[in-house]
Amino acid sequence: MDPVGELVARVEFEDDVTAGEADRHTRDLVRQLERLDVDDVRMGEAEADPGTRTGGLTAIAGLVLVSGLAIRHVLTPLVRLIGVWLESSGRKSVTIEKDGARITVAGPVKAEDVQAYVRALDESAEPERACRSQELSDSGDGR
C-alpha cells in the first residue's frame, strides 16, 4: 500500500483581486479537487511567498492542501484539472509542492506537457523545479 501523501497548491492571484474574491476562487478550486480520488482536500492559511509585494501591499494567495493514500496516482488528473481551472477562472498561476518538488502551472496545460509536470513532481530528489507551460511548449521536447 502507498504511504499517505500530501501536496500543497498555492494560487497566485492578479494584483486587482480582493481578499474576498481570492477566497471564493480558492474555494472553487477546492470543490474541483474534491472530485479526485483523494482522502482530503481543504483550504489552508495562505500568505504570498516572502518578498512578493504589489504597490506596497503583500500579494494575496490561496492555499489548498490535498492528501491521500494514492496521491501519486492522481497527479496526472490534478495537473490537468488545475490547468483547466486556471484557463476558466482567469487566475494567474498555481504552484504545486509535493515532497520537496515544486512546479508552477501558469495557464492551460497542453496534453503532451502534462507528463512533464507529473515527472517534475514525482522526482522529489531535486529540491525545486519550476515548469511553466510556455517554457515547456517553447522547448519542443516536453522538458
Side-chain angles (χ1 to χ4, degrees), residues 25 38 45 54 69 74 98 100 122 125 130 132:
H25 290 302
V38 295
E45 294 295 319
T54 54
L69 289 176
V74 297
K98 177 188 167 287
D122 228 9
R132 297 186 187 274

Side-chain angles (χ1 to χ4, degrees), residues 99-119:
D99 299 330
R102 177 186 294 180
I103 64 166
T104 298
V105 180
V109 181
K110 294 180 182 179
E112 61 269 18
D113 294 336
V114 170
Q115 289 311 308
Y117 281 100
V118 171
R119 277 192 306 275

Side-chain angles (χ1 to χ4, degrees), residues 126-139:
E126 294 184 39
E128 182 175 328
R129 174 182 267 173
C131 299
R132 297 186 187 274
S133 57
Q134 187 60 43
E135 292 169 359
L136 287 169
S137 62
D138 286 348
S139 70

